[in-house]
Amino acid sequence: MALSKNKIKYFNSLNLKKNRDNEQVFIAEGVKLVGDLLPYFKAKYIVATKEWLSSNRVECDEFIEVES
């Protein structure tokens, strides 16, 4: 699935703490941090490259594949 304009707006809105608090979410970026958190938290969205998605099997509501 491609990254739509609405998803981009949603992710950008999460730059504000009040929006993260309202949605009860946080953003984790980077291979190590995401890898460390996934065993403990269920991801709502994972935005990753095809290579990362094929080498990591995780449970998530929605996977979004992007080009590196």
Side-chain angles (χ1 to χ4, degrees), residues 35-42:
D36 289 346
L37 290 174
L38 283 175
Y40 303 102
F41 296 96
K42 183 174 185 265

Side-chain angles (χ1 to χ4, degrees), residues 11-43:
F11 295 142
N12 284 335
S13 75
L14 296 177
N15 287 327
L16 296 175
K17 184 180 182 328
K18 70 176 185 175
N19 293 336
R20 290 191 307 271
D21 289 344
N22 287 340
E23 294 287 324
Q24 296 182 336
V25 297
F26 63 92
I27 296 175
E29 297 180 54
V31 175
K32 179 163 177 28
L33 180 60
V34 171
D36 289 346
L37 290 174
L38 283 175
Y40 303 102
F41 296 96
K42 183 174 185 265

